[in-house]
Amino acid sequence: MSVGAPKIPVTVAEVVTVNPLVKRFRFVRRDGAPMMPFSGGAHVVVEMDDHGTRRLNPYSLMSAPDDTSGYEISVRRDDAGRGGSVYLHAHVTPGMQMVLSAPVNLFPTDTRARKHLLIAGGIGITPFVAQMAGLQARAGRFELHYSARSRELAAYADTLTALYGDRVNVYLDDQNQQINLGTLLQGQPLGTHLYVCGPKGMIAWVRTTAQTLGWPETAVHSEEFLAPPVGLPFTVQLAASGKTITVGPAQSLLEAIEAAGVVAPYLCRGGACGECETGVLACDGAILHNDHWLTDDQKVGQTRIMPCVSRFAGATLVLDR
Ligand code: FES
């Protein structure tokens, strides 16, 4: 039984240093066939063998959705993370063979919207690069507000400005520039949909401001794939499989389940899609919920867990897997 989206064997065609923190990777199919088209906002899962540790990390596609010659992602190096981004930066070079999942879109533009208001922070720009190409091709109405730490770290700001002119607005922290969010949201025509992708604090700020100003929840869209956090090792019993596994400090529970040869469902691997939700049969301790899928009540109840991002501290955790 296979889980996740279908796999695509690829060759790394190009690696480009975009700025001191970001590299762009281009993949083409090993069999020379075209990639399948996707819609802006889609992501792929990149499989990596990081010195014996199998990592599967999700990244937004940023190439044009109708460009079937290859897929492109941009990766921000996170030196404090578990290692996936560092591995891509340090070890992935043109000619290498890798495996991607087929695209899955958990952050599409809403076709009912009369206008699309896009708000990006840092590397959160990547899904919007593909979305804007798709909207431009369909003559969709949009504008981008993009916040970055500095001009040097504002990946693709110049390219996007050259393509889309005054529909692109860039704000630089080191110039004390900030999005005037209240005014921006109040000045939008009826039927506008709002999209935000960036750091957790930015997503919360945009969502809270929109809610305060009376934006309907159905018109506000966000995407934040959470990186599985590092933590102390812990032991888990898998009741259906009859196995007991230990989750390492830099390993996610989902990765540990997979490493034990147990099939487990997933799509985003970032706590956002709900696909990996697993029942908890017994828990003596605290589940460290890191997802934004389960409700607060479900988290307190400790009867469900999202193994892609959540951990455990305590004596016993038995899962229905
Ligand atoms: S795989 Fe999407 S929430 Fe876990």
Side-chain angles (χ1 to χ4, degrees):
M1 177 187 168
S2 71
V3 291
K7 313 284 184 197
I8 310 173
V10 297
T11 301
V12 180
E14 190 179 44
V15 180
V16 175
T17 298
V18 177
N19 65 37
L21 289 180
V22 175
K23 282 189 176 182
R24 184 173 68 245
F25 300 84
R26 180 174 180 79
F27 305 99
V28 296
R29 284 183 68 118
R30 268 184 243 166
D31 61 6
M35 294 287 199
M36 67 182 75
F38 61 94
S39 53
H43 74 272
V44 293
V45 172
V46 180
E47 299 191 6
M48 294 167 259
D49 179 3
D50 180 4
H51 304 94
T53 300
R54 186 167 177 260
R55 301 198 186 283
L56 289 84
N57 286 10
Y59 294 100
S60 296
L61 288 173
M62 55 166 296
S63 36
D66 60 357
D67 176 6
T68 57
S69 65
Y71 288 160
E72 291 182 5
I73 61 170
S74 281
V75 178
R76 183 189 191 282
R77 196 185 71 239
D78 179 3
D79 293 321
R82 300 181 318 130
S85 67
V86 171
Y87 174 82
L88 280 162
H89 271 248
H91 299 291
V92 172
T93 53
M96 271 180 69
Q97 298 200 335
M98 299 184 76
V99 173
L100 309 181
S101 71
V104 170
N105 200 343
L106 302 172
F107 190 49
T109 51
D110 193 315
T111 51
R112 296 166 300 178
R114 295 205 189 132
K115 178 183 173 186
H116 305 269
L117 180 62
L118 316 174
I119 299 185
I123 196 64
I125 190 64
T126 53
F128 293 134
V129 175
Q131 285 187 346
M132 285 189 283
L135 288 167
Q136 178 84 340
R138 307 196 302 269
R141 187 177 172 199
F142 67 89
E143 68 184 60
L144 170 73
H145 294 262
Y146 175 22
S147 178
R149 276 162 45 190
S150 65
R151 174 64 61 184
E152 184 183 37
L153 295 179
Y156 308 113
D158 293 342
T159 312
L160 295 172
T161 301
L163 282 170
Y164 305 119
D166 61 7
R167 285 178 286 175
V168 173
N169 304 270
V170 179
Y171 306 81
L172 304 174
D173 292 349
D174 66 354
Q175 305 289 314
N176 295 318
Q177 298 166 341
Q178 204 192 13
I179 301 171
N180 189 340
L181 189 59
T183 304
L184 181 64
L185 296 190
Q186 283 174 307
Q188 298 305 314
L190 206 62
T192 301
H193 277 234
L194 170 63
Y195 307 82
V196 56
C197 184
K200 200 181 194 74
M202 175 186 234
I203 292 175
W205 173 55
V206 172
R207 280 197 159 275
T208 304
T209 306
Q211 189 180 33
T212 304
L213 294 174
W215 278 62
E217 201 166 325
T218 51
V220 181
H221 314 267
S222 60
E223 178 169 80
E224 182 199 8
F225 285 175
L226 305 163
V230 295
L232 295 173
F234 58 98
T235 299
V236 179
Q237 295 171 44
L238 305 177
S241 322
K243 297 193 177 189
T244 298
I245 59 170
T246 299
V247 183
Q251 191 179 33
S252 72
L253 171 54
L254 178 57
E255 288 169 346
I257 292 171
E258 291 167 335
V262 175
V263 171
Y266 68 85
L267 279 181
C268 73
R269 304 181 78 91
C273 73
E275 188 73 10
C276 69
E277 184 174 336
T278 303
V280 175
L281 302 179
C283 177
D284 177 8
I287 296 176
L288 311 174
H289 294 286
N290 292 307
D291 62 281
H292 36 211
W293 176 260
L294 297 176
T295 64
D296 289 346
D297 283 349
Q298 285 175 315
K299 288 179 180 175
V300 171
Q302 301 214 123
T303 57
R304 317 293 300 169
I305 187 171
M306 312 306 289
C308 64
V309 289
S310 296
R311 303 184 70 84
F312 173 71
T316 309
L317 179 65
V318 185
L319 300 184
D320 186 15
R321 178 68 62 207

